Amino acid sequence: MAKIISGKEVSAAVKARVREECEQLKAQGVVPGLAVIIVGDDPASRVYVNNKKKACAEVGFHSEEFALPAETTEEELLSLVRELNERKDIHGILCQLPLPKHLDEKKVIHTIAPEKDVDAFHPSNVGQIMIGEYRFLPCTPAGVMEMIKSEGIEVSGKNCVVIGRSNIVGKPMAMLLLHENGTVTICHSRTKNLKEICSQADILVAAVGKPKFVTADMVKEGAVVLDVGINRDENGKLCGDVDFASVEKKAGYITPVPGGVGPMTIAMLMQNTLTAAKLLTGC
Ligand code: L34
């Protein structure tokens, strides 16, 4: 039976660390501030944004939510971002994705000042991740790395397989594992022999977006399995990209959904906001 790596526990430890550092900043007159923009009324985004605001309160940050109607124009959204770029009391800006279809996510990401881009989605931050000189790590991949580290699992020299190649998770995830000297393979929808490749992984990260996609026959005995997916199963219940019930019996470590990578994404956002506040104020 696999050991379960609890995102709830690991994220609590990260937040406790951030909270302590936040107190030190406050003693120097700086209150870290995060602005969260949400456009439209996607129910999942609403839950995630609420969890982000809650985490801000827990660690002692100032947070502001900008809830815009679904029919917001591109110019309205971009002018809000520009306004937040200028504000001295806001150190981090995050625009919750996905956006309604008529809005260009790329344009919004490009407009956020790179030094306030706590998602690390701006091309300048993405480039820095590529060369290993980062100010911010993308929250979800950074959260996965933190979970690996929390168990003292060595990445160096290991076979690491990432399923999924999105700009938000798959690609930066592969890069972080590479920086830790993993031997990294990225699989995607056109990959041949997916099962064979996955079953050689010592560390397997599932970021496919398909419920219970990773089954026990794709997993090596004793592997570390990290589940980034958040889906609903046939009964409308929250589930990951990994078939937890079967994989749990074969893996060495596994992360649950919910209570796994999701809470870690939020904890790393707190970490990035703290970093942004320090960099912008020189504290
Ligand atoms: N800009 N957009 C931007 N930044 C991000 O980092 C995100 N992401 C993803 C979607 N869009 C984004 C998130 O915040 C996914 N994501 C996210 C954040 C938190 C949780 C899940 C995804 C989370 O709190 N998950 C809980 C369960 C939540 C529930 O009940 O539905 C968990 O335990 O997994």
PDB file of all heavy atoms in Angstrom, residues 8 37 43-45 47-49 51-52 94-98 109 119 121 139-140 168-169 228-230 232 238 256-266 269, ligand 1:
ATOM      1  N   LYS A   8      -2.894  18.617   2.396  1.00  0.00           N
ATOM      2  CA  LYS A   8      -3.394  19.435   3.504  1.00  0.00           C
ATOM      3  C   LYS A   8      -2.279  19.697   4.503  1.00  0.00           C
ATOM      4  O   LYS A   8      -2.053  20.822   4.939  1.00  0.00           O
ATOM      5  CB  LYS A   8      -4.554  18.726   4.203  1.00  0.00           C
ATOM      6  CG  LYS A   8      -5.865  19.004   3.537  1.00  0.00           C
ATOM      7  CD  LYS A   8      -7.034  18.648   4.447  1.00  0.00           C
ATOM      8  CE  LYS A   8      -8.308  18.648   3.624  1.00  0.00           C
ATOM      9  NZ  LYS A   8      -9.190  17.548   3.952  1.00  0.00           N
ATOM     10  N   ILE A  37      -8.333  38.428  -9.679  1.00  0.00           N
ATOM     11  CA  ILE A  37      -9.387  38.804 -10.632  1.00  0.00           C
ATOM     12  C   ILE A  37     -10.124  37.541 -11.060  1.00  0.00           C
ATOM     13  O   ILE A  37      -9.493  36.536 -11.407  1.00  0.00           O
ATOM     14  CB  ILE A  37      -8.787  39.488 -11.882  1.00  0.00           C
ATOM     15  CG1 ILE A  37      -7.938  40.697 -11.481  1.00  0.00           C
ATOM     16  CG2 ILE A  37      -9.893  39.886 -12.858  1.00  0.00           C
ATOM     17  CD1 ILE A  37      -7.101  41.273 -12.621  1.00  0.00           C
ATOM     18  N   PRO A  43     -18.302  27.888 -11.564  1.00  0.00           N
ATOM     19  CA  PRO A  43     -18.384  27.461 -10.156  1.00  0.00           C
ATOM     20  C   PRO A  43     -17.064  26.910  -9.600  1.00  0.00           C
ATOM     21  O   PRO A  43     -16.741  27.142  -8.427  1.00  0.00           O
ATOM     22  CB  PRO A  43     -19.473  26.385 -10.156  1.00  0.00           C
ATOM     23  CG  PRO A  43     -19.777  26.067 -11.572  1.00  0.00           C
ATOM     24  CD  PRO A  43     -19.229  27.152 -12.438  1.00  0.00           C
ATOM     25  N   ALA A  44     -16.279  26.207 -10.423  1.00  0.00           N
ATOM     26  CA  ALA A  44     -14.994  25.682  -9.943  1.00  0.00           C
ATOM     27  C   ALA A  44     -14.048  26.843  -9.639  1.00  0.00           C
ATOM     28  O   ALA A  44     -13.408  26.875  -8.581  1.00  0.00           O
ATOM     29  CB  ALA A  44     -14.384  24.741 -10.973  1.00  0.00           C
ATOM     30  N   SER A  45     -13.982  27.819 -10.544  1.00  0.00           N
ATOM     31  CA  SER A  45     -13.117  28.984 -10.313  1.00  0.00           C
ATOM     32  C   SER A  45     -13.522  29.705  -9.036  1.00  0.00           C
ATOM     33  O   SER A  45     -12.660  30.181  -8.279  1.00  0.00           O
ATOM     34  CB  SER A  45     -13.203  29.967 -11.481  1.00  0.00           C
ATOM     35  OG  SER A  45     -12.678  29.402 -12.659  1.00  0.00           O
ATOM     36  N   VAL A  47     -14.790  28.418  -6.332  1.00  0.00           N
ATOM     37  CA  VAL A  47     -14.267  27.649  -5.182  1.00  0.00           C
ATOM     38  C   VAL A  47     -12.770  27.928  -5.007  1.00  0.00           C
ATOM     39  O   VAL A  47     -12.302  28.216  -3.894  1.00  0.00           O
ATOM     40  CB  VAL A  47     -14.498  26.129  -5.379  1.00  0.00           C
ATOM     41  CG1 VAL A  47     -13.794  25.326  -4.288  1.00  0.00           C
ATOM     42  CG2 VAL A  47     -15.991  25.809  -5.384  1.00  0.00           C
ATOM     43  N   TYR A  48     -12.020  27.872  -6.099  1.00  0.00           N
ATOM     44  CA  TYR A  48     -10.561  28.051  -6.016  1.00  0.00           C
ATOM     45  C   TYR A  48     -10.212  29.453  -5.519  1.00  0.00           C
ATOM     46  O   TYR A  48      -9.316  29.626  -4.690  1.00  0.00           O
ATOM     47  CB  TYR A  48      -9.883  27.792  -7.371  1.00  0.00           C
ATOM     48  CG  TYR A  48     -10.224  26.453  -8.007  1.00  0.00           C
ATOM     49  CD1 TYR A  48     -10.116  26.266  -9.381  1.00  0.00           C
ATOM     50  CD2 TYR A  48     -10.658  25.379  -7.234  1.00  0.00           C
ATOM     51  CE1 TYR A  48     -10.434  25.035  -9.966  1.00  0.00           C
ATOM     52  CE2 TYR A  48     -10.982  24.156  -7.810  1.00  0.00           C
ATOM     53  CZ  TYR A  48     -10.872  23.996  -9.183  1.00  0.00           C
ATOM     54  OH  TYR A  48     -11.189  22.799  -9.761  1.00  0.00           O
ATOM     55  N   VAL A  49     -10.941  30.449  -6.044  1.00  0.00           N
ATOM     56  CA  VAL A  49     -10.670  31.842  -5.636  1.00  0.00           C
ATOM     57  C   VAL A  49     -11.017  32.035  -4.153  1.00  0.00           C
ATOM     58  O   VAL A  49     -10.274  32.685  -3.413  1.00  0.00           O
ATOM     59  CB  VAL A  49     -11.428  32.833  -6.552  1.00  0.00           C
ATOM     60  CG1 VAL A  49     -11.442  34.238  -5.957  1.00  0.00           C
ATOM     61  CG2 VAL A  49     -10.787  32.859  -7.947  1.00  0.00           C
ATOM     62  N   ASN A  51     -10.827  29.756  -1.886  1.00  0.00           N
ATOM     63  CA  ASN A  51      -9.753  29.106  -1.137  1.00  0.00           C
ATOM     64  C   ASN A  51      -8.501  29.990  -1.101  1.00  0.00           C
ATOM     65  O   ASN A  51      -7.779  30.017  -0.096  1.00  0.00           O
ATOM     66  CB  ASN A  51      -9.420  27.744  -1.756  1.00  0.00           C
ATOM     67  CG  ASN A  51     -10.522  26.712  -1.520  1.00  0.00           C
ATOM     68  OD1 ASN A  51     -11.445  26.941  -0.739  1.00  0.00           O
ATOM     69  ND2 ASN A  51     -10.445  25.582  -2.204  1.00  0.00           N
ATOM     70  N   LYS A  52      -8.250  30.718  -2.162  1.00  0.00           N
ATOM     71  CA  LYS A  52      -7.082  31.614  -2.209  1.00  0.00           C
ATOM     72  C   LYS A  52      -7.254  32.774  -1.227  1.00  0.00           C
ATOM     73  O   LYS A  52      -6.317  33.133  -0.508  1.00  0.00           O
ATOM     74  CB  LYS A  52      -6.864  32.129  -3.640  1.00  0.00           C
ATOM     75  CG  LYS A  52      -6.333  31.050  -4.562  1.00  0.00           C
ATOM     76  CD  LYS A  52      -6.252  31.434  -6.029  1.00  0.00           C
ATOM     77  CE  LYS A  52      -5.831  30.175  -6.817  1.00  0.00           C
ATOM     78  NZ  LYS A  52      -5.561  30.430  -8.244  1.00  0.00           N
ATOM     79  N   LEU A  94      -3.238  38.111  -9.853  1.00  0.00           N
ATOM     80  CA  LEU A  94      -3.573  36.816 -10.441  1.00  0.00           C
ATOM     81  C   LEU A  94      -4.922  36.937 -11.115  1.00  0.00           C
ATOM     82  O   LEU A  94      -5.862  37.452 -10.524  1.00  0.00           O
ATOM     83  CB  LEU A  94      -3.635  35.791  -9.314  1.00  0.00           C
ATOM     84  CG  LEU A  94      -4.066  34.381  -9.624  1.00  0.00           C
ATOM     85  CD1 LEU A  94      -3.383  33.448  -8.658  1.00  0.00           C
ATOM     86  CD2 LEU A  94      -5.560  34.189  -9.557  1.00  0.00           C
ATOM     87  N   CYS A  95      -5.005  36.513 -12.354  1.00  0.00           N
ATOM     88  CA  CYS A  95      -6.286  36.476 -13.052  1.00  0.00           C
ATOM     89  C   CYS A  95      -6.659  35.015 -13.214  1.00  0.00           C
ATOM     90  O   CYS A  95      -5.992  34.261 -13.932  1.00  0.00           O
ATOM     91  CB  CYS A  95      -6.159  37.180 -14.406  1.00  0.00           C
ATOM     92  SG  CYS A  95      -7.701  37.165 -15.318  1.00  0.00           S
ATOM     93  N   GLN A  96      -7.702  34.610 -12.524  1.00  0.00           N
ATOM     94  CA  GLN A  96      -8.088  33.199 -12.516  1.00  0.00           C
ATOM     95  C   GLN A  96      -8.480  32.736 -13.921  1.00  0.00           C
ATOM     96  O   GLN A  96      -9.275  33.390 -14.593  1.00  0.00           O
ATOM     97  CB  GLN A  96      -9.249  33.001 -11.518  1.00  0.00           C
ATOM     98  CG  GLN A  96      -9.595  31.560 -11.228  1.00  0.00           C
ATOM     99  CD  GLN A  96      -8.529  30.830 -10.412  1.00  0.00           C
ATOM    100  OE1 GLN A  96      -7.677  31.427  -9.767  1.00  0.00           O
ATOM    101  NE2 GLN A  96      -8.568  29.511 -10.453  1.00  0.00           N
ATOM    102  N   LEU A  97      -7.924  31.625 -14.345  1.00  0.00           N
ATOM    103  CA  LEU A  97      -8.228  31.043 -15.660  1.00  0.00           C
ATOM    104  C   LEU A  97      -9.125  29.825 -15.457  1.00  0.00           C
ATOM    105  O   LEU A  97      -9.079  29.223 -14.390  1.00  0.00           O
ATOM    106  CB  LEU A  97      -6.924  30.630 -16.354  1.00  0.00           C
ATOM    107  CG  LEU A  97      -5.897  31.750 -16.565  1.00  0.00           C
ATOM    108  CD1 LEU A  97      -4.641  31.190 -17.232  1.00  0.00           C
ATOM    109  CD2 LEU A  97      -6.477  32.892 -17.380  1.00  0.00           C
ATOM    110  N   PRO A  98      -9.904  29.402 -16.412  1.00  0.00           N
ATOM    111  CA  PRO A  98     -10.056  29.994 -17.752  1.00  0.00           C
ATOM    112  C   PRO A  98     -10.893  31.270 -17.746  1.00  0.00           C
ATOM    113  O   PRO A  98     -11.730  31.459 -16.859  1.00  0.00           O
ATOM    114  CB  PRO A  98     -10.783  28.881 -18.512  1.00  0.00           C
ATOM    115  CG  PRO A  98     -11.555  28.125 -17.468  1.00  0.00           C
ATOM    116  CD  PRO A  98     -10.742  28.211 -16.221  1.00  0.00           C
ATOM    117  N   ILE A 109      -2.189  37.880 -19.596  1.00  0.00           N
ATOM    118  CA  ILE A 109      -0.943  37.403 -18.994  1.00  0.00           C
ATOM    119  C   ILE A 109       0.225  38.326 -19.352  1.00  0.00           C
ATOM    120  O   ILE A 109       1.054  38.661 -18.509  1.00  0.00           O
ATOM    121  CB  ILE A 109      -0.661  35.943 -19.448  1.00  0.00           C
ATOM    122  CG1 ILE A 109      -1.661  34.991 -18.774  1.00  0.00           C
ATOM    123  CG2 ILE A 109       0.771  35.535 -19.143  1.00  0.00           C
ATOM    124  CD1 ILE A 109      -1.667  33.579 -19.325  1.00  0.00           C
ATOM    125  N   ASP A 119       1.643  33.949 -10.602  1.00  0.00           N
ATOM    126  CA  ASP A 119       1.390  32.663 -11.254  1.00  0.00           C
ATOM    127  C   ASP A 119       2.618  32.193 -12.043  1.00  0.00           C
ATOM    128  O   ASP A 119       2.687  31.033 -12.445  1.00  0.00           O
ATOM    129  CB  ASP A 119       0.232  32.798 -12.262  1.00  0.00           C
ATOM    130  CG  ASP A 119      -1.132  32.497 -11.661  1.00  0.00           C
ATOM    131  OD1 ASP A 119      -1.205  31.623 -10.785  1.00  0.00           O
ATOM    132  OD2 ASP A 119      -2.119  33.124 -12.094  1.00  0.00           O
ATOM    133  N   PHE A 121       3.231  33.072 -15.140  1.00  0.00           N
ATOM    134  CA  PHE A 121       2.743  32.756 -16.479  1.00  0.00           C
ATOM    135  C   PHE A 121       3.309  33.704 -17.541  1.00  0.00           C
ATOM    136  O   PHE A 121       3.232  33.421 -18.728  1.00  0.00           O
ATOM    137  CB  PHE A 121       1.204  32.843 -16.545  1.00  0.00           C
ATOM    138  CG  PHE A 121       0.478  31.755 -15.782  1.00  0.00           C
ATOM    139  CD1 PHE A 121      -0.905  31.865 -15.546  1.00  0.00           C
ATOM    140  CD2 PHE A 121       1.134  30.620 -15.321  1.00  0.00           C
ATOM    141  CE1 PHE A 121      -1.595  30.878 -14.859  1.00  0.00           C
ATOM    142  CE2 PHE A 121       0.445  29.622 -14.630  1.00  0.00           C
ATOM    143  CZ  PHE A 121      -0.921  29.752 -14.404  1.00  0.00           C
ATOM    144  N   CYS A 139       2.845  27.833  -9.551  1.00  0.00           N
ATOM    145  CA  CYS A 139       2.325  27.316  -8.276  1.00  0.00           C
ATOM    146  C   CYS A 139       2.095  25.808  -8.255  1.00  0.00           C
ATOM    147  O   CYS A 139       2.487  25.143  -7.292  1.00  0.00           O
ATOM    148  CB  CYS A 139       1.026  28.036  -7.923  1.00  0.00           C
ATOM    149  SG  CYS A 139       1.255  29.819  -7.754  1.00  0.00           S
ATOM    150  N   THR A 140       1.451  25.272  -9.279  1.00  0.00           N
ATOM    151  CA  THR A 140       1.121  23.845  -9.229  1.00  0.00           C
ATOM    152  C   THR A 140       2.378  22.965  -9.317  1.00  0.00           C
ATOM    153  O   THR A 140       2.592  22.108  -8.439  1.00  0.00           O
ATOM    154  CB  THR A 140       0.080  23.479 -10.313  1.00  0.00           C
ATOM    155  OG1 THR A 140      -1.097  24.263 -10.082  1.00  0.00           O
ATOM    156  CG2 THR A 140      -0.273  22.005 -10.294  1.00  0.00           C
ATOM    157  N   ILE A 168       0.897  25.642 -18.345  1.00  0.00           N
ATOM    158  CA  ILE A 168       0.663  25.931 -16.936  1.00  0.00           C
ATOM    159  C   ILE A 168       1.211  24.832 -16.028  1.00  0.00           C
ATOM    160  O   ILE A 168       1.738  25.108 -14.961  1.00  0.00           O
ATOM    161  CB  ILE A 168      -0.849  26.159 -16.704  1.00  0.00           C
ATOM    162  CG1 ILE A 168      -1.266  27.479 -17.380  1.00  0.00           C
ATOM    163  CG2 ILE A 168      -1.206  26.155 -15.244  1.00  0.00           C
ATOM    164  CD1 ILE A 168      -2.737  27.774 -17.303  1.00  0.00           C
ATOM    165  N   VAL A 169       1.095  23.582 -16.448  1.00  0.00           N
ATOM    166  CA  VAL A 169       1.557  22.500 -15.583  1.00  0.00           C
ATOM    167  C   VAL A 169       2.638  21.618 -16.231  1.00  0.00           C
ATOM    168  O   VAL A 169       3.766  21.560 -15.754  1.00  0.00           O
ATOM    169  CB  VAL A 169       0.392  21.605 -15.082  1.00  0.00           C
ATOM    170  CG1 VAL A 169       0.933  20.521 -14.161  1.00  0.00           C
ATOM    171  CG2 VAL A 169      -0.658  22.419 -14.351  1.00  0.00           C
ATOM    172  N   VAL A 228      -2.216  15.656 -10.474  1.00  0.00           N
ATOM    173  CA  VAL A 228      -2.526  17.080 -10.617  1.00  0.00           C
ATOM    174  C   VAL A 228      -3.982  17.298 -11.045  1.00  0.00           C
ATOM    175  O   VAL A 228      -4.527  18.378 -10.924  1.00  0.00           O
ATOM    176  CB  VAL A 228      -1.549  17.733 -11.633  1.00  0.00           C
ATOM    177  CG1 VAL A 228      -1.901  19.184 -11.881  1.00  0.00           C
ATOM    178  CG2 VAL A 228      -0.103  17.619 -11.147  1.00  0.00           C
ATOM    179  N   GLY A 229      -4.638  16.246 -11.530  1.00  0.00           N
ATOM    180  CA  GLY A 229      -5.979  16.397 -12.101  1.00  0.00           C
ATOM    181  C   GLY A 229      -7.039  16.751 -11.075  1.00  0.00           C
ATOM    182  O   GLY A 229      -6.964  16.342  -9.916  1.00  0.00           O
ATOM    183  N   ILE A 230      -8.001  17.546 -11.510  1.00  0.00           N
ATOM    184  CA  ILE A 230      -9.209  17.760 -10.708  1.00  0.00           C
ATOM    185  C   ILE A 230     -10.388  17.592 -11.650  1.00  0.00           C
ATOM    186  O   ILE A 230     -10.640  18.430 -12.508  1.00  0.00           O
ATOM    187  CB  ILE A 230      -9.258  19.165 -10.071  1.00  0.00           C
ATOM    188  CG1 ILE A 230      -8.025  19.387  -9.215  1.00  0.00           C
ATOM    189  CG2 ILE A 230     -10.535  19.321  -9.246  1.00  0.00           C
ATOM    190  CD1 ILE A 230      -8.201  20.391  -8.117  1.00  0.00           C
ATOM    191  N   ARG A 232     -14.462  15.521 -12.265  1.00  0.00           N
ATOM    192  CA  ARG A 232     -15.646  14.931 -11.623  1.00  0.00           C
ATOM    193  C   ARG A 232     -15.841  13.546 -12.241  1.00  0.00           C
ATOM    194  O   ARG A 232     -15.757  13.399 -13.451  1.00  0.00           O
ATOM    195  CB  ARG A 232     -16.893  15.776 -11.905  1.00  0.00           C
ATOM    196  CG  ARG A 232     -16.772  17.202 -11.392  1.00  0.00           C
ATOM    197  CD  ARG A 232     -17.521  17.403 -10.097  1.00  0.00           C
ATOM    198  NE  ARG A 232     -17.078  18.614  -9.425  1.00  0.00           N
ATOM    199  CZ  ARG A 232     -17.288  18.868  -8.153  1.00  0.00           C
ATOM    200  NH1 ARG A 232     -17.905  17.973  -7.395  1.00  0.00           N
ATOM    201  NH2 ARG A 232     -16.883  19.987  -7.608  1.00  0.00           N
ATOM    202  N   LEU A 238     -15.550  14.540  -6.912  1.00  0.00           N
ATOM    203  CA  LEU A 238     -14.215  15.030  -7.256  1.00  0.00           C
ATOM    204  C   LEU A 238     -13.233  13.867  -7.382  1.00  0.00           C
ATOM    205  O   LEU A 238     -13.163  13.022  -6.499  1.00  0.00           O
ATOM    206  CB  LEU A 238     -13.766  15.966  -6.131  1.00  0.00           C
ATOM    207  CG  LEU A 238     -13.115  17.305  -6.470  1.00  0.00           C
ATOM    208  CD1 LEU A 238     -13.897  18.073  -7.519  1.00  0.00           C
ATOM    209  CD2 LEU A 238     -12.958  18.136  -5.212  1.00  0.00           C
ATOM    210  N   PRO A 256      -3.595  12.303  -2.914  1.00  0.00           N
ATOM    211  CA  PRO A 256      -5.040  12.164  -3.083  1.00  0.00           C
ATOM    212  C   PRO A 256      -5.666  13.367  -3.807  1.00  0.00           C
ATOM    213  O   PRO A 256      -5.038  14.411  -3.925  1.00  0.00           O
ATOM    214  CB  PRO A 256      -5.543  12.108  -1.639  1.00  0.00           C
ATOM    215  CG  PRO A 256      -4.567  12.963  -0.879  1.00  0.00           C
ATOM    216  CD  PRO A 256      -3.238  12.808  -1.578  1.00  0.00           C
ATOM    217  N   VAL A 257      -6.877  13.206  -4.280  1.00  0.00           N
ATOM    218  CA  VAL A 257      -7.696  14.311  -4.798  1.00  0.00           C
ATOM    219  C   VAL A 257      -9.098  14.111  -4.247  1.00  0.00           C
ATOM    220  O   VAL A 257      -9.669  13.029  -4.464  1.00  0.00           O
ATOM    221  CB  VAL A 257      -7.754  14.315  -6.345  1.00  0.00           C
ATOM    222  CG1 VAL A 257      -8.675  15.426  -6.832  1.00  0.00           C
ATOM    223  CG2 VAL A 257      -6.371  14.442  -6.959  1.00  0.00           C
ATOM    224  N   PRO A 258      -9.675  15.053  -3.535  1.00  0.00           N
ATOM    225  CA  PRO A 258      -9.078  16.329  -3.128  1.00  0.00           C
ATOM    226  C   PRO A 258      -8.039  16.148  -2.004  1.00  0.00           C
ATOM    227  O   PRO A 258      -7.775  15.030  -1.580  1.00  0.00           O
ATOM    228  CB  PRO A 258     -10.306  17.112  -2.633  1.00  0.00           C
ATOM    229  CG  PRO A 258     -11.283  16.075  -2.179  1.00  0.00           C
ATOM    230  CD  PRO A 258     -11.051  14.882  -3.080  1.00  0.00           C
ATOM    231  N   GLY A 259      -7.488  17.264  -1.549  1.00  0.00           N
ATOM    232  CA  GLY A 259      -6.550  17.219  -0.430  1.00  0.00           C
ATOM    233  C   GLY A 259      -5.123  16.888  -0.833  1.00  0.00           C
ATOM    234  O   GLY A 259      -4.312  16.504   0.013  1.00  0.00           O
ATOM    235  N   GLY A 260      -4.818  17.023  -2.122  1.00  0.00           N
ATOM    236  CA  GLY A 260      -3.461  16.744  -2.587  1.00  0.00           C
ATOM    237  C   GLY A 260      -2.808  17.983  -3.171  1.00  0.00           C
ATOM    238  O   GLY A 260      -2.485  18.929  -2.443  1.00  0.00           O
ATOM    239  N   VAL A 261      -2.651  17.966  -4.493  1.00  0.00           N
ATOM    240  CA  VAL A 261      -1.944  19.050  -5.177  1.00  0.00           C
ATOM    241  C   VAL A 261      -2.724  20.381  -5.103  1.00  0.00           C
ATOM    242  O   VAL A 261      -2.104  21.451  -5.041  1.00  0.00           O
ATOM    243  CB  VAL A 261      -1.642  18.650  -6.648  1.00  0.00           C
ATOM    244  CG1 VAL A 261      -1.032  19.798  -7.422  1.00  0.00           C
ATOM    245  CG2 VAL A 261      -0.696  17.437  -6.676  1.00  0.00           C
ATOM    246  N   GLY A 262      -4.065  20.328  -5.091  1.00  0.00           N
ATOM    247  CA  GLY A 262      -4.881  21.563  -5.047  1.00  0.00           C
ATOM    248  C   GLY A 262      -4.471  22.512  -3.919  1.00  0.00           C
ATOM    249  O   GLY A 262      -4.106  23.667  -4.166  1.00  0.00           O
ATOM    250  N   PRO A 263      -4.495  22.051  -2.667  1.00  0.00           N
ATOM    251  CA  PRO A 263      -4.074  22.920  -1.556  1.00  0.00           C
ATOM    252  C   PRO A 263      -2.617  23.382  -1.675  1.00  0.00           C
ATOM    253  O   PRO A 263      -2.272  24.471  -1.211  1.00  0.00           O
ATOM    254  CB  PRO A 263      -4.252  22.027  -0.319  1.00  0.00           C
ATOM    255  CG  PRO A 263      -5.224  20.976  -0.722  1.00  0.00           C
ATOM    256  CD  PRO A 263      -5.082  20.790  -2.198  1.00  0.00           C
ATOM    257  N   MET A 264      -1.769  22.563  -2.318  1.00  0.00           N
ATOM    258  CA  MET A 264      -0.363  22.949  -2.511  1.00  0.00           C
ATOM    259  C   MET A 264      -0.241  24.122  -3.483  1.00  0.00           C
ATOM    260  O   MET A 264       0.594  25.010  -3.302  1.00  0.00           O
ATOM    261  CB  MET A 264       0.445  21.762  -3.053  1.00  0.00           C
ATOM    262  CG  MET A 264       0.651  20.637  -2.073  1.00  0.00           C
ATOM    263  SD  MET A 264       1.374  21.166  -0.504  1.00  0.00           S
ATOM    264  CE  MET A 264       2.929  21.857  -1.028  1.00  0.00           C
ATOM    265  N   THR A 265      -1.082  24.108  -4.536  1.00  0.00           N
ATOM    266  CA  THR A 265      -1.088  25.216  -5.505  1.00  0.00           C
ATOM    267  C   THR A 265      -1.317  26.529  -4.761  1.00  0.00           C
ATOM    268  O   THR A 265      -0.646  27.540  -5.008  1.00  0.00           O
ATOM    269  CB  THR A 265      -2.211  24.990  -6.555  1.00  0.00           C
ATOM    270  OG1 THR A 265      -1.913  23.808  -7.292  1.00  0.00           O
ATOM    271  CG2 THR A 265      -2.345  26.169  -7.506  1.00  0.00           C
ATOM    272  N   ILE A 266      -2.245  26.483  -3.829  1.00  0.00           N
ATOM    273  CA  ILE A 266      -2.590  27.696  -3.087  1.00  0.00           C
ATOM    274  C   ILE A 266      -1.463  28.098  -2.126  1.00  0.00           C
ATOM    275  O   ILE A 266      -1.113  29.272  -2.020  1.00  0.00           O
ATOM    276  CB  ILE A 266      -3.935  27.480  -2.373  1.00  0.00           C
ATOM    277  CG1 ILE A 266      -5.022  27.380  -3.452  1.00  0.00           C
ATOM    278  CG2 ILE A 266      -4.213  28.609  -1.384  1.00  0.00           C
ATOM    279  CD1 ILE A 266      -6.393  27.090  -2.955  1.00  0.00           C
ATOM    280  N   LEU A 269       1.199  29.786  -4.014  1.00  0.00           N
ATOM    281  CA  LEU A 269       0.791  31.147  -4.378  1.00  0.00           C
ATOM    282  C   LEU A 269       1.089  32.119  -3.230  1.00  0.00           C
ATOM    283  O   LEU A 269       1.514  33.257  -3.450  1.00  0.00           O
ATOM    284  CB  LEU A 269      -0.706  31.152  -4.723  1.00  0.00           C
ATOM    285  CG  LEU A 269      -1.349  32.518  -4.952  1.00  0.00           C
ATOM    286  CD1 LEU A 269      -0.786  33.179  -6.212  1.00  0.00           C
ATOM    287  CD2 LEU A 269      -2.867  32.389  -5.048  1.00  0.00           C
TER     288      LEU A 269
HETATM  289  N1  L34 B   1      -4.447  32.063 -12.983  1.00  0.00           N
HETATM  290  N2  L34 B   1      -5.703  30.141 -12.906  1.00  0.00           N
HETATM  291  C1  L34 B   1      -4.644  30.835 -12.481  1.00  0.00           C
HETATM  292  N3  L34 B   1      -3.771  30.346 -11.558  1.00  0.00           N
HETATM  293  C2  L34 B   1      -3.957  29.119 -11.039  1.00  0.00           C
HETATM  294  O1  L34 B   1      -3.067  28.621 -10.171  1.00  0.00           O
HETATM  295  C3  L34 B   1      -5.068  28.380 -11.428  1.00  0.00           C
HETATM  296  N4  L34 B   1      -5.368  27.136 -10.899  1.00  0.00           N
HETATM  297  C4  L34 B   1      -5.937  26.108 -11.759  1.00  0.00           C
HETATM  298  C5  L34 B   1      -7.139  26.740 -12.471  1.00  0.00           C
HETATM  299  N5  L34 B   1      -6.932  28.116 -12.874  1.00  0.00           N
HETATM  300  C6  L34 B   1      -5.918  28.898 -12.405  1.00  0.00           C
HETATM  301  C7  L34 B   1      -5.806  26.944  -9.627  1.00  0.00           C
HETATM  302  O2  L34 B   1      -5.741  27.805  -8.762  1.00  0.00           O
HETATM  303  C8  L34 B   1      -6.325  25.047 -10.773  1.00  0.00           C
HETATM  304  N6  L34 B   1      -6.288  25.706  -9.470  1.00  0.00           N
HETATM  305  C9  L34 B   1      -6.753  25.135  -8.270  1.00  0.00           C
HETATM  306  C10 L34 B   1      -6.636  25.770  -7.044  1.00  0.00           C
HETATM  307  C11 L34 B   1      -7.127  25.200  -5.881  1.00  0.00           C
HETATM  308  C12 L34 B   1      -7.734  23.992  -5.909  1.00  0.00           C
HETATM  309  C13 L34 B   1      -7.851  23.336  -7.113  1.00  0.00           C
HETATM  310  C14 L34 B   1      -7.351  23.908  -8.279  1.00  0.00           C
HETATM  311  C15 L34 B   1      -8.301  23.419  -4.653  1.00  0.00           C
HETATM  312  O3  L34 B   1      -8.446  24.109  -3.683  1.00  0.00           O
HETATM  313  N7  L34 B   1      -8.658  22.122  -4.655  1.00  0.00           N
HETATM  314  C16 L34 B   1      -9.224  21.425  -3.527  1.00  0.00           C
HETATM  315  C17 L34 B   1     -10.675  21.039  -3.762  1.00  0.00           C
HETATM  316  C18 L34 B   1     -11.540  22.119  -4.266  1.00  0.00           C
HETATM  317  C19 L34 B   1     -12.975  21.673  -4.503  1.00  0.00           C
HETATM  318  O4  L34 B   1     -13.627  21.328  -3.506  1.00  0.00           O
HETATM  319  O5  L34 B   1     -13.431  21.698  -5.662  1.00  0.00           O
HETATM  320  C20 L34 B   1      -8.456  20.120  -3.333  1.00  0.00           C
HETATM  321  O6  L34 B   1      -8.450  19.638  -2.204  1.00  0.00           O
HETATM  322  O7  L34 B   1      -7.905  19.625  -4.318  1.00  0.00           O
END
